[in-house]
Amino acid sequence: MSNNRKWREYVTALSATLITAAAGTTVGWTSPTLPILLAEDSPIQTSADQSSWIASIMILCSAASPIPASYLADRIGTKKTLLLAAVPYIIGWILVMFAGNVPTIYASRLISGLGYGIAYTTAPMYLGEIASDNVRGAMATLITVMSKFGILSQYCIGPYVSMLGLASFNIAIPILFVVTFSTMPESPYYYIKSGQKQEAESSLRKLRGKSYVREELESMNSLVTENMKEKSRWKDLFLIEGNKRGLMILMGIYFTQQFCGSTAIISYAQQIFGAADGGLGPEESCILFGTVQLFTSAMSSQLVDRLGRKPLLLISSCGVGLSNIIIGAYFYLKYQNSDVLINLKFIPNVVIPIFIFSYTIGLATVPFAITSEIFPTNIKSKATCVIQIFVALMTFAVTKLYQVVADNLGNYVAFWGFGALSVAGVIFILIYLPETKGQSFAAIQEKLYSSDKVVYEKGEDHMSRVKITL
């Protein structure tokens, strides 16, 4: 597709991913806010245990919304389902504005978690279905780019305004999302599934910026018709070999994504930088940290369709593994009050940005691209739902347990554990992950679902296929 047509897809994707920018604000909000809540002159007296629940309870609650989100995506479409995700965020920030005690903040985080689960279940589906094959990876990584923008906004604004001021800024993002995304087209795949072929053609014309889309539309229709021949069941995710293989691959990748320690560092960034005593103040360190995240995620969106998914994930996992080991060693020397540390205070401000660069270039971005393309149409919403619940539980475990391990065993134990699990992730990705760069949905499914032989005929910007059952 010519460059002058791609902008339509990117504008649609940017509007859709404003909801993940809203998600980023809820994740990054704890970094500047928890030190305020834990201070002696706190406007809301908060204990260390309560602060760990404030950081983690939002993610725990996000595990409750993927199932209804996947149901709604099939029934009313991915666009309308994404729009619904804005409602919990708006309610959540209103509660923060008027919070006078910790239970009100808990309620805010719980409600925001519902929006988080809907957004991350539905956004990969929507972006995967509106994008052309040659830009699908870049589109999906915008989920992370916008999320990192949301996180960076908290690091830049949070330390210098009141809780009310920060919440007022944050509530504007989901409102802006509703205003802009309401004008964007629904996924053509949803229209085809629901038998609305004229609407599917109209949607595709808006996305591609050209009047003749019949060839691509027929290719989509053939794929959806074949995928939808059998009604999907939840148990098919675990009984059909290709579904099992896809689910295992994604769970392995997302496990590595979470247990490399990324969520703990994001949620507790200001406290970690403060404990590290690395030269820069914790507030300035967080801004540096967030800036590296944002620019690296933007870089990843340009590389994922050029270098491929697997190389970026391998580079990423190796980088975070090595960084965790070095950061762990630094905290161990600090724990031992080693004299060597006098000359090594620069390490946190060098290695943590390297960790963030490594994490964001692959593990933070690429899994969303793979999620958007690896499952057939009839099972995609259910698979994405299961993956999001899995990610929510893993994220909660990391966010909650990090503080417990750091307080009782030391920061160095937590980081060395993250390092060991990152190395395990490298091995998993190397062995099990197939490359999907630049391939159509049909070609990707052929790699995973080996019981059928599929013959491909390449068209202008799509792949049509003839299926021969063996």
Side-chain angles (χ1 to χ4, degrees), residues 144 148 253 256-262 296-297 300 303 307-324 351-367 418-419 421-427 429 433:
T144 302
K148 300 313 177 190
I253 294 171
T256 306
Q257 181 197 69
Q258 296 304 316
F259 276 88
C260 74
S262 56
T296 308
S297 60
S300 177
L303 294 176
L307 297 183
R309 283 62 160 154
K310 191 167 185 172
L312 285 179
L313 283 174
L314 288 172
I315 292 168
S316 181
S317 300
C318 289
V320 295
L322 182 60
S323 299
N324 274 317
V351 179
I352 292 182
I354 291 173
F355 172 97
I356 292 304
F357 175 86
S358 301
Y359 168 69
T360 311
I361 200 72
L363 285 168
T365 51
V366 176
F418 292 147
L421 291 171
S422 300
V423 172
V426 172
I427 298 169
I429 292 164
L433 179 64

Side-chain angles (χ1 to χ4, degrees), residues 21-33 93 147-161 166-167 169-171 173 270 283 286-287:
T25 63
T26 63
V27 173
W29 177 81
T30 57
S31 181
T33 304
W93 291 123
S147 173
K148 300 313 177 190
F149 168 78
I151 292 170
L152 177 60
S153 70
Q154 306 306 285
Y155 294 162
C156 292
I157 299 171
Y160 311 107
V161 299
L166 187 57
F169 169 83
N170 291 342
I171 199 172
I173 296 178
Q270 196 162 311
E283 294 86 357
C286 283
I287 293 172

Side-chain angles (χ1 to χ4, degrees), residues 36-37 39 41-45 99-101 163:
I36 295 173
L37 293 175
D41 58 347
S42 170
I44 302 173
Q45 287 299 316
N101 50 53
M163 284 179 59

Side-chain angles (χ1 to χ4, degrees), residues 220-274:
M220 287 182 175
N221 187 59
S222 298
L223 180 60
V224 171
T225 301
E226 184 178 314
N227 286 164
M228 300 299 291
K229 279 180 181 177
E230 294 185 15
K231 189 176 180 181
S232 65
R233 302 164 299 176
W234 286 97
K235 64 181 180 180
D236 289 340
L237 279 171
F238 310 98
L239 295 179
I240 296 175
E241 189 60 34
N243 293 340
K244 281 197 299 183
R245 193 177 301 127
L247 207 58
M248 180 197 72
I249 289 169
L250 282 173
M251 283 184 170
I253 294 171
Y254 278 111
F255 182 89
T256 306
Q257 181 197 69
Q258 296 304 316
F259 276 88
C260 74
S262 56
T263 304
I265 291 179
I266 292 169
S267 298
Y268 297 100
Q270 196 162 311
Q271 290 165 276
I272 290 172
F273 278 116

Side-chain angles (χ1 to χ4, degrees), residues 183-204:
T183 64
M184 299 299 161
E186 176 60 89
S187 158
Y189 279 90
Y190 167 71
Y191 282 133
I192 293 172
K193 282 193 297 182
S194 56
Q196 303 177 65
K197 290 191 177 180
Q198 281 190 327
E199 288 81 356
E201 185 173 347
S202 175
S203 171
L204 204 54

